[in-house]
């Protein structure tokens, strides 16, 4: 009997087990209530957070993101968004580890260009080496270059997170063939990070065999973020089921009718 | 003394100040934060071993929404 509800199909990252294969960013929402409602609708368990200077002028009662997303309900994934060098990224993640009481699962991204936000893979590799040695479990944002992906795995990163297209672009999966090579060669989870625009993009990523998808803008900037979060949850699940089911072979030149040829009324 | 905190200069009457006292004066008690002095993290269990002095560069960070 096929397990229809995917209950036993866990995403394992650095020894941690997750039911949901949808990882969600917490930026660009209108307020914390909307952030929380969208995350609830997505049923995500891993949420990314950014590390920034604290607002010094705040009132003592000002709510914080982490109060809306308590640590006993979610796994935080502090990121290095906005870092353009390995030094900045390492500094940010060490502060994040201190902030989160020793939590060591992190998302490393080192950007190379403020306009496109393309990753700087040289700086990313440099940072990954140091962070892995320093005891971090590093989930790493990278380009869709299969050689770099493999190098990051060899360094000891616990998940490889290639872009589907540029961060915040919503352009979808631009190079499924590269992603397939990365997935084929990888021995750690491959999670598409960036570029998903709508539900079908997430499904395509999962159908290709990705272990998960990380997204933010596609949900936060949808006209109805909460409904889109629900759509993404279903897209991830249906894509995963289709991948596990194993799609039929494509037949470009010989069509095969689904109804019997025999017994046609003539 | 003058201390750089998150990029702006703050003046204190005291000649040195403990991280604990700094957090109280900045109204951040009870908040989740991490603090760095001149590029070195001040871990929470060394709060009573370190003082912040004139000219120090302090960064106090927290978590915000991000992707």
């Amino acid at each position: 009997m096929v397990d229809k509800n995917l209950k036993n199909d866990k995403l394992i990252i650095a020894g941690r087990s997750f039911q949901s294969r949808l990882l969600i960013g917490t930026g660009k929402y209108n307020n914390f209530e909307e952030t929380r409602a969208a995350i609830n609708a997505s049923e995500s368990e891993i949420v990314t957070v950014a590390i920034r200077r604290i607002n010094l002028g705040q009132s003592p009662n000002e709510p914080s993101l982490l109060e809306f997303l308590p640590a006993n309900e979610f796994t935080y994934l502090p990121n290095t968004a906005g870092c353009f060098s390995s030094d900045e990224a390492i500094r940010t993640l060490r502060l994040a580890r201190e902030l989160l009481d020793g939590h060591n699962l992190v998302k490393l991204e080192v950007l190379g260009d403020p306009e496109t936000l393309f990753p700087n893979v040289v700086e990313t590799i440099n940072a990954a080496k140091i962070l892995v040695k320093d005891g971090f479990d590093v989930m790493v944002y990278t380009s869709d270059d299969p050689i770099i992906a493999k190098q990051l795995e060899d360094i000891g990163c616990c998940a490889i997170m290639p872009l589907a297209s540029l961060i915040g672009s919503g352009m979808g999966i631009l190079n499924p063939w590269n992603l397939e090579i990365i997935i084929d060669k990888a021995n750690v989870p491959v999670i598409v990070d960036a570029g998903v625009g709508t539900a079908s993009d997430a499904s395509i990523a999962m159908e290709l065999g990705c272990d998960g998808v990380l997204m933010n803008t596609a949900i936060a900037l949808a006209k109805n973020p909460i409904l889109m979060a629900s759509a993404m949850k279903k897209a991830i699940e249906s894509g995963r089921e289709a991948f596990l089911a194993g799609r039929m072979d494509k037949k470009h030149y010989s069509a095969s009718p689904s109804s019997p040829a025999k017994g046609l009324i003539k | 003394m003058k201390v750089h905190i998150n990029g702006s200069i703050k003046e204190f009457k005291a000649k040195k100040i403990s991280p604990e006292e700094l957090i109280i004066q900045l109204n951040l008690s009870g908040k989740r934060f991490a603090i760095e002095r001149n590029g070195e993290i001040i871990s929470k269990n060394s709060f009573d071993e370190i003082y912040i002095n004139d000219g120090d560069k302090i960064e106090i960070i927290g978590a915000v929404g991000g992707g």
Side-chain angles (χ1 to χ4, degrees):
Chain A
M1 185 63 198
V2 177
D3 181 9
K4 276 193 193 155
N5 58 18
L6 296 179
K7 266 221 169 104
N8 298 320
D9 179 48
K10 309 282 190 198
L11 170 63
I12 310 284
I13 301 170
R16 298 163 170 90
S17 175
F18 302 96
Q19 189 65 51
S20 171
R21 292 174 180 274
L22 175 55
L23 294 75
I24 291 220
T26 55
K28 298 182 180 169
Y29 289 93
N30 288 310
N31 51 53
F32 292 146
E33 285 83 4
E34 187 185 66
T35 311
R36 176 70 210 222
I39 292 168
N40 282 357
S42 75
E43 293 183 20
S44 292
E45 296 163 277
I46 302 176
V47 294
T48 65
V49 297
I51 303 302
R52 291 290 181 272
R53 284 172 166 172
I54 207 163
N55 175 12
L56 291 178
Q58 64 180 287
S59 78
N61 302 323
E62 195 170 300
S64 75
L65 176 69
L66 298 186
E67 287 162 23
F68 277 80
L69 304 172
N72 57 355
E73 289 180 59
F74 298 100
T75 297
Y76 300 138
L77 191 61
N79 70 25
T80 59
C83 292
F84 284 81
S85 71
S86 57
D87 285 349
E88 288 169 49
I90 292 162
R91 181 185 183 191
T92 299
L93 291 178
R94 285 180 174 154
L95 279 165
R97 182 168 61 182
E98 175 64 21
L99 172 74
L100 300 172
D101 305 318
H103 175 75
N104 70 341
L105 183 69
V106 296
K107 169 179 161 177
L108 170 65
E109 62 178 290
V110 186
L111 303 174
D113 171 30
E115 215 171 324
T116 62
L117 302 180
F118 253 117
N120 179 332
V121 293
V122 175
E123 288 294 300
T124 302
I125 285 173
N126 289 340
K129 283 179 186 164
I130 293 167
L131 289 165
V132 167
K133 269 195 195 139
D134 197 12
F136 285 93
D137 289 332
V138 180
M139 301 174 68
V140 60
Y141 171 67
T142 183
S143 65
D144 61 5
D145 180 330
I147 306 303
I148 299 296
K150 197 68 202 167
Q151 286 179 3
L152 288 164
E153 179 186 329
D154 291 343
I155 287 167
C157 292
C158 65
I160 307 300
M161 305 205 290
L163 52 80
S165 46
L166 298 183
I167 294 173
S169 70
M171 291 292 287
I173 315 284
L174 296 188
N175 196 337
W177 298 279
N178 272 28
L179 288 179
E180 271 184 346
I181 298 170
I182 292 171
I183 292 162
D184 245 26
K185 306 276 185 196
N187 298 306
V188 293
V190 175
I191 293 169
V192 154
D193 178 5
V196 164
T198 189
S200 52
D201 298 333
S203 286
I204 289 168
M206 295 309 291
E207 287 169 13
L208 288 170
C210 285
D211 296 280
V213 178
L214 197 166
M215 64 179 77
N216 188 346
T217 311
I219 294 175
L221 294 194
K223 304 292 178 287
N224 182 336
I226 295 156
L227 192 56
M228 185 58 90
S230 166
M232 289 301 184
K233 168 189 143 46
K234 291 168 185 162
I236 295 284
E237 287 174 358
S238 67
R240 178 66 180 172
E241 287 185 0
F243 170 72
L244 293 174
R247 62 154 298 144
M248 63 167 283
D249 291 335
K250 287 181 182 171
K251 295 177 192 167
H252 290 213
Y253 297 105
S254 75
S256 156
S258 296
S259 306
K262 206 179 153 191
L264 271 175
I265 308 156
K266 284 186 180 166
Chain B
M1 66 167 179
K2 288 179 184 173
V3 180
H4 300 257
I5 303 174
N6 287 1
S8 39
I9 295 174
K10 296 233 181 264
E11 284 199 49
F12 297 89
K13 281 178 191 160
K15 282 189 177 166
K16 59 179 186 176
I17 186 171
S18 71
E20 195 90 60
E21 184 57 30
L22 177 73
I23 293 305
I24 293 167
Q25 291 208 18
L26 293 174
N27 249 341
L28 294 173
S29 300
K31 300 279 173 194
R32 286 192 86 166
F33 58 83
I35 180 165
E36 196 186 58
R37 188 189 67 154
N38 301 330
E40 299 275 329
I41 290 171
I42 308 177
S43 80
K44 283 168 194 122
N45 41 27
S46 63
F47 259 32
D48 44 4
E49 296 159 21
I50 285 176
Y51 279 94
I52 291 155
N53 299 302
D54 186 47
D56 278 353
K57 287 191 169 64
I58 303 295
E59 293 287 340
I60 307 172
I61 62 89
V64 300

